[in-house]
């Protein structure tokens, strides 16, 4: 991705492409806390550590390079599409000190063109178009939600609610696939919280998000079904479970 500028993209346009092929090799994507309500019905939502940060993530597959929520013709096979996916090919790049954000675009995206297809990125006066302003507002909102989500993750760390987990998918043919490197909220630790901690979680609506996360774990069965459907022998079945690592 490169910074968007009038000098480089003054004559560029963007036409949306009905393809999510760019996400074919990812098995999980970050979720913002505000997305958990919409995503919990269709995805297994877990927590992942990135440095000293803890973020929610939607599980898309068991194999590290397979997105099971993508159809053979690169369409998204779920009603809710995570914002991390929807924002592509536009992203923010942060300065080294994290204080400045620059709007960037992946120039390899087939929708970016100089043929006038779609929406211009800049007007004839060299100023960002209404389309680019809309992209910028979307990413600014995404960044704001990202900061709120970091606070949410830090709160879970402080309360000691997370434990390492591992998902295992078994097929009757004897094949076993495991997905690790993620965490989930411990029901026992959640029940053991004192009244003040629970009240604090309830006031910020974080308690609702935690129970939605726990509810979503049953969607590992959906991931399992999608995996089996992608195998050559689509008639075999499998069992899936998530257990403490």
């Amino acid at each position: 991705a490169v910074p968007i500028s009038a000098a480089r993209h003054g004559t560029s346009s963007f036409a949306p492409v009905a393809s999510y092929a760019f996400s074919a090799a990812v098995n999980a994507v970050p979720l913002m806390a505000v997305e958990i309500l919409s995503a919990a019905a269709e995805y297994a939502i877990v927590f992942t550590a990135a440095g000293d940060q803890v973020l929610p993530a939607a599980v898309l597959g068991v194999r590290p390079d397979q997105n099971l929520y993508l159809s053979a013709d690169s369409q998204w096979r779920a009603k809710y599409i995570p914002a991390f996916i929807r924002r592509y090919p536009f992203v923010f790049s942060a300065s080294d000190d994290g204080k400045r954000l620059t709007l960037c675009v992946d120039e390899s995206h087939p929708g970016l063109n100089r043929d006038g297809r779609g929406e211009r990125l800049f007007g004839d006066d060299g100023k960002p178009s209404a389309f680019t302003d809309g992209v910028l507002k979307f990413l600014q909102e995404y960044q704001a939600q990202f900061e709120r989500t970091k606070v949410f993750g830090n709160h879970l760390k402080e309360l000691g609610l997370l434990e390492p987990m591992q998902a295992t998918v078994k097929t009757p043919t004897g094949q076993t696939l495991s997905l690790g490197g993620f965490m989930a909220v411990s029901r026992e630790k959640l029940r053991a919280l004192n009244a003040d901690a629970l009240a604090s979680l309830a006031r910020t609506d974080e308690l609702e998000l935690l129970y939605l996360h726990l509810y979503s774990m049953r969607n590992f069965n959906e991931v399992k079904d999608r995996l089996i459907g992608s195998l050559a022998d689509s008639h075999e079945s499998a069992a899936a479970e998530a257990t403490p690592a």
Side-chain angles (χ1 to χ4, degrees), residues 77-185:
R77 297 168 57 204
K79 293 180 180 178
Y80 182 76
I81 304 175
F84 186 86
I85 297 294
R86 284 184 278 123
R87 66 178 185 162
Y88 179 81
F90 300 97
V91 296
F92 269 147
S93 173
S95 59
D96 292 338
D97 59 9
K99 295 182 179 180
R100 188 177 69 255
L101 298 172
T102 302
L103 180 62
C104 299
V105 63
D106 180 353
E107 291 184 321
S108 69
H109 191 280
L112 192 67
N113 67 88
R114 298 184 186 276
D115 305 325
R117 290 182 289 109
E119 302 283 350
R120 285 277 301 273
L121 297 187
F122 291 88
D124 293 334
D125 56 2
K127 294 181 180 179
S129 66
F131 171 79
T132 300
D133 284 341
V135 170
L136 187 60
K137 289 178 181 178
F138 177 82
L139 290 182
Q140 287 172 334
E141 175 62 19
Y142 183 90
Q143 191 66 26
Q145 293 296 343
F146 176 69
E147 296 301 324
R148 297 185 184 110
T149 302
K150 288 197 297 185
V151 173
F152 172 52
N154 288 335
H155 197 191
L156 300 187
K157 283 177 60 179
E158 292 168 359
L159 293 174
L161 292 177
L162 299 173
E163 63 179 0
M165 298 288 287
Q166 177 173 287
T168 302
V169 175
K170 297 179 180 179
T171 70
T173 60
Q175 184 182 22
T176 299
L177 298 174
S178 296
L179 177 67
F182 66 90
M183 297 172 288
V185 169

